[in-house]
Structure formats: structure tokens, C-alpha cells
Amino acid sequence: MTGHTVAMDSRLVDRLGNIFSKMLLHPTYRLLLLAAGAPLHLVIYLVFLRRKNQSALKSRLDKLEQEWTASGYRDSLVAETKDQLQRKHRFFGQSIAPEKLNREANRIAGAKFKEALLSQLKAQQSEGGQPPVTYADTFTELIRHPVILTVSFVPGVLMYALMLIYGNAYLKYIIERLVMTVFVIFGVAFLVFTILHLSPMNPAANIIGETATAEQIAAFNKLYGLDQSYLTQLWHTFHGILTFDLGKSFAGNEDVTTSIAAKFPVTLTLTVISTVAAVLIALPIGLVSATRPNSFFDYTFMLIALIGLSIPNFWQGLILILNFSIKLHWLPATYNPQNALTMIMPIVVLGTGLTAAVARMTRSSTLEVIHEDYMTTARAKGLSRRQVLWKHAVGNALIPIITVIGLQFGAMLGGAAVTEKVFNINGIGSYIVDKQFIPDIPSIMGGVIYTAITISIVNVVIDILYAFFDPRIRSKMKQY
């Protein structure tokens, strides 16, 4: 039992040491690692310095570097790297400035030179019986002591949590994209706020009216903080996003968060239902067209898809209202959340473009896949047409289809304002349109932020689906 525990502890230490050394190679993760375990790193660094001074590693490394530099090895690496870069750019038909070429060649050659130096020094010291002292090895040797490992969890709990995330390829993949999503959201907020701030429109004059006096405009600006500097207003906007307090709207003095929380689910529900319905219709159509190219079904489906891509939303909505509401009296013309029938026409209008886009992409992607060599091999092995299609073709064709679905979902969510206006839907799209002509900055920012968050989450889901369907991405995830 004791031997089994010792073996498990040894594997744990080796695992932690391996993760630690890999994280030190990435600048971003190295910075996060040092920040998360700052008290612990202070102790590790002191021990590392003592061991390093005892081994005289630096003097040997400097001497070896001088010898290799004098021999011309570094210059030959730079010349070889420059030649490789020139051939690569010629192959892709790209042009590169000489200064940029030299800078890139020196950077790559410098990294190769340093790697070769460390490798040579390690080989020499191994032959001499003295292994090189590294920061990662110092950390690993310290945590081999059970007491030190246990005590280190107190000051280094954040660091070990970060290492746990890095050590799990799938968890790391998801967390990285969530962090990128946060930067995207604040980037969108910065751009939208800056555009609104630079807008020549005057919210005070637009709301109070043409008869507004200078004193009234000044009082309005002071009330809503519009008299403050750009950076101060931007900081208040970012603070509101972090605390989910988007302030009061200029028009109506209503709480922006509450208003958007009531309107956004309407648009999101219509978009999600439209997306699901479009995908369920488009995928079979695309597959049938791909498996029967140049047939009657193929030409008919693709003609309908082309028409669907060409029809403007507002025109299609008006035609549906004219026929199904005014003439036939089958469906209500305006949206009512209490009546499910009122959702049919908006869903059809929103989903038409997506259905056409997904059907065409499914057809082209499947056609490209079914002519690959591995498909011929699968058929030669005796698999049926259905097995070849569903087990080999569909899985490999899904990557571009998923991309189109994700992009179109974002376009539908952000561009639903036209459909909402046609069917009198009190959603987030019409809300932003109504507020932008004031401009009601808090309301617009709130609508944009909610939309950006939703689209970013959808993009994260799309990235996860990439890893699920594409083994190449999973393989690359495990390499880093």
C-alpha cells in the first residue's frame, strides 16, 4: 500500500513538473504562473539562484556562446533561416520588406541558437555527471518532498489551479476561448462607445426638444454624466458592464438592464427557433442534393435556396402579412407573446436565409468530401452507401457547415431589427434602432453588450464543436 502511494506521489510530482516546464515556455502562461504563485516563486527562485551559483552554469553558457559565435555558427543560422523565409514567401507569392525579413530571420535564428546552446551544455554536463540547473527542475525537486508539496498548496493554490487547467487539453481549450470572449466583449463596448461619443448628435437637444435652453442642456448633461471626460465616461461604462448595472436610459429614465432583460429573450427565442428549424430542413436538402448531383431534386432545391438568399427580409415579411394575414386570415399580422401562431411568420422570415445558406454549404461541402480517396477506400471495403455517407462523409463535411451556422446565427441575432419592425415585435433589435437616433448611449450600449455576449458564447460553442468533430484539432490541442 505504501509503495503504491509513493508511486502515485512520484507520478503526480512528475506530472506537475512537466506542466510547470511547459507553461514556462509560453510568455502569457509564464506571466500568469508567476503572478498566481508569487509567494511560492520567491522561495523557488532563491533556491534556484543558490543551485545555479553552485553549478556555475552561467559562466559555462557564456563561454560556449562566445565560442560558437566566433566560429560563425550563429551567422550561418541567420543566413540559412533567411533563405528558408525567402523561399517560403516566394512559394506563396508574397513579398516582404528586407528589414522585416532580417528581423524575423534574426529572431528565429536566435531561438534556434539558444536551444542548441542549452542542448549542448546539457549534453556536456550529463557526460560530466552534473546535470544543468533549470528553474523547472528546481520546482520539481522541491515538491518531491511531501511536506513542501503539502505546504506549497496554501500560497500556491491559484498556481496549482492554473496548472490543472493547463494540464487538461479540453479544459484549457474552453477556458482560453472564454477569456478571449471577455476581451471581445470589452473591445466591442469600446468601439461602440467611442463611435457614439464622437457622434455629432446631441442627446440633450434631441430629448428636451428644439426649445431647450443652454441651462437645460447643461443640467441634462450633468445629470447623466455627459459633461465628464471621454475616459471617465468609458470607465463608468466598463464598470457598469462588470457590475451588470448599465444605468438609466436618457429617454424615459428607465433601468436599462431591466428593459433589455425583458426584450432580449424575445429576439433570442425567435432566433434560436429559426436556427433549429433551418438546420433541420437544410441538412437533409443539402445531403440529397449532394448525393444526387445535377438531378431534378438538385436543381430544384438549389434554385429555391438561391431565391431564399435573394429575398430581402422586409419584403418577405410584407408578402407573408399580405397573403396569410390580410387575404387568408390564417395568421395574425403582429406579434403577441401569448399567441404561438404569431411566431410562425417571423420565424419563417428569419430562417429563410439561414436555410438557404446551410443547404448550399451542406451540398458543396459534402460533394467535396465524397470524392476524397478515403471515401473510395471505404466503398472498396464493402461498406454500404448509407454507412459511407453517415459515418465518413457527414462528419468530415460538418466543419464548414458549423461555421456557416455560427456566422448566420450572429447575423440573425444582430440583424433581427428589420423583421421585428415588420411584425411589431418588441425585441432587442427594434429597441436599439429606436434608441440610436437620440442617441441613448446607455440603452444602445446595453443592447450591444447583450448581443455581443450571446454571439461570443455561440462562437465558443462552435469552437468546442470543431474540436468534437475534427480529430486534427483535438490532436493539436494535446500538443500544446
Side-chain angles (χ1 to χ4, degrees):
M1 185 69 178
T2 304
H4 181 66
T5 304
V6 171
M8 288 184 62
D9 291 341
S10 178
R11 288 197 298 270
L12 174 62
V13 169
D14 291 339
R15 174 67 173 163
L16 290 174
N18 185 39
I19 294 174
F20 189 87
S21 61
K22 286 184 177 181
M23 294 180 71
L24 290 177
L25 297 177
H26 296 274
T28 302
Y29 279 104
R30 181 169 63 242
L31 181 62
L32 292 174
L33 189 69
L34 296 176
L40 188 59
H41 283 288
L42 179 61
V43 177
I44 299 173
Y45 186 69
L46 292 176
V47 176
F48 168 69
L49 284 180
R50 184 174 63 83
R51 295 182 64 193
K52 183 179 179 181
N53 292 333
Q54 290 176 350
S55 65
L57 175 65
K58 189 175 185 305
S59 60
R60 297 184 183 184
L61 186 63
D62 292 340
K63 182 179 179 180
L64 188 61
E65 182 177 358
Q66 291 175 0
E67 292 177 356
W68 282 17
T69 303
S71 67
Y73 177 65
R74 185 187 183 93
D75 294 335
S76 65
L77 272 180
V78 173
E80 180 183 350
T81 305
K82 185 184 296 185
D83 180 63
Q84 291 175 351
L85 289 174
Q86 288 175 335
R87 285 190 280 110
K88 184 184 77 170
H89 286 293
R90 281 198 303 269
F91 177 80
F92 289 105
Q94 299 172 341
S95 60
I96 184 171
E99 294 181 359
K100 185 177 181 181
L101 178 65
N102 291 332
R103 187 165 57 250
E104 186 71 10
N106 279 299
R107 184 185 65 80
I108 297 174
K112 290 182 178 179
F113 183 73
K114 185 176 181 180
E115 183 180 355
L117 277 175
L118 293 175
S119 177
Q120 178 65 19
L121 183 64
K122 184 176 181 179
Q124 290 179 357
Q125 291 188 335
S126 297
E127 292 175 0
Q130 185 179 8
V133 178
T134 65
Y135 190 78
D137 290 340
T138 303
F139 168 77
T140 305
E141 290 301 322
L142 284 175
I143 64 173
R144 286 193 185 280
H145 301 279
V147 176
I148 296 178
L149 176 62
T150 304
V151 173
S152 68
F153 273 100
V154 177
V157 60
L158 293 178
M159 184 189 76
Y160 285 117
L162 184 64
M163 292 171 65
L164 176 66
I165 293 173
Y166 188 90
N168 188 309
Y170 297 101
L171 185 60
K172 172 175 170 283
Y173 184 80
I174 296 172
I175 295 296
E176 285 179 347
R177 271 140 189 83
L178 290 175
V179 172
M180 290 170 59
T181 295
V182 174
F183 284 102
V184 168
I185 292 170
F186 280 95
V188 169
F190 168 76
L191 289 176
V192 173
F193 178 84
T194 302
I195 293 172
L196 292 174
H197 185 80
L198 297 176
S199 171
M201 291 186 289
N202 189 337
N206 290 340
I207 292 175
I208 300 175
E210 297 179 356
T211 60
T213 63
E215 291 77 11
Q216 289 174 326
I217 292 177
F220 181 93
N221 291 337
K222 184 176 181 179
L223 176 63
Y224 290 103
L226 297 177
D227 58 338
Q228 298 176 347
S229 66
Y230 165 78
L231 292 178
T232 302
Q233 294 184 55
L234 181 63
W235 163 249
H236 289 321
T237 300
F238 282 173
H239 182 266
I241 294 172
L242 290 172
T243 58
F244 297 98
D245 181 11
L246 301 173
K248 302 288 186 180
S249 63
F250 295 164
N253 198 35
E254 58 186 0
D255 185 75
V256 174
T257 304
T258 303
S259 299
I260 293 177
K263 299 175 186 299
F264 187 75
V266 177
T267 303
L268 183 62
T269 301
L270 291 175
T271 305
V272 170
I273 295 176
S274 301
T275 302
V276 173
V279 171
L280 292 177
I281 295 172
L283 285 179
I285 289 176
L287 290 174
V288 170
S289 298
T291 53
R292 300 179 181 180
N294 303 321
S295 65
F296 172 77
F297 294 102
D298 184 24
Y299 287 126
T300 303
F301 288 151
M302 290 304 102
L303 177 61
I304 296 173
L306 182 61
I307 294 174
L309 286 173
S310 306
I311 298 177
N313 284 2
F314 70 91
W315 184 85
Q316 185 184 7
L318 293 175
I319 293 298
L320 291 178
I321 291 174
L322 179 63
N323 286 278
F324 294 99
S325 297
I326 298 177
K327 290 186 177 181
L328 299 176
H329 303 286
W330 288 357
L331 299 171
T334 58
Y335 176 77
N336 182 357
Q338 307 301 326
N339 186 354
L341 291 177
T342 60
M343 299 179 65
I344 295 177
M345 289 194 293
I347 289 173
V348 170
V349 172
L350 281 175
T352 298
L354 177 61
T355 303
V358 174
R360 290 174 64 87
M361 179 54 70
T362 303
R363 178 185 183 276
S364 61
S365 181
T366 307
L367 276 175
E368 182 179 352
V369 167
I370 60 179
H371 292 101
E372 295 289 341
D373 292 340
Y374 62 86
M375 297 293 291
T376 305
T377 303
R379 286 191 291 267
K381 288 183 176 180
L383 294 179
S384 66
R385 183 184 180 87
R386 183 183 298 273
Q387 289 176 317
V388 171
L389 179 63
W390 289 105
K391 289 187 177 180
H392 299 279
V394 174
N396 291 294
L398 274 178
I399 297 300
I401 299 171
I402 292 173
T403 303
V404 169
I405 294 173
L407 293 174
Q408 290 292 323
F409 181 87
M412 289 166 60
L413 187 64
V418 175
T419 304
E420 291 177 356
K421 283 295 182 182
V422 171
F423 293 100
N424 195 28
I425 300 173
N426 193 17
I428 193 67
S430 59
Y431 178 78
I432 295 175
V433 171
D434 292 338
K435 299 292 186 179
Q436 71 179 352
F437 295 106
I438 298 177
D440 195 332
I441 296 177
S443 300
I444 297 173
M445 289 300 302
V448 170
I449 292 304
Y450 268 75
T451 304
I453 290 174
T454 305
I455 294 176
S456 299
I457 292 174
V458 170
N459 287 334
V460 171
V461 174
I462 295 299
D463 287 339
I464 295 173
L465 290 176
Y466 285 161
F468 180 78
F469 286 106
D470 195 338
R472 295 170 299 181
I473 297 178
R474 292 198 299 272
S475 177
K476 187 178 293 185
M477 284 165 51
K478 295 178 181 178
Q479 292 176 5
Y480 297 100

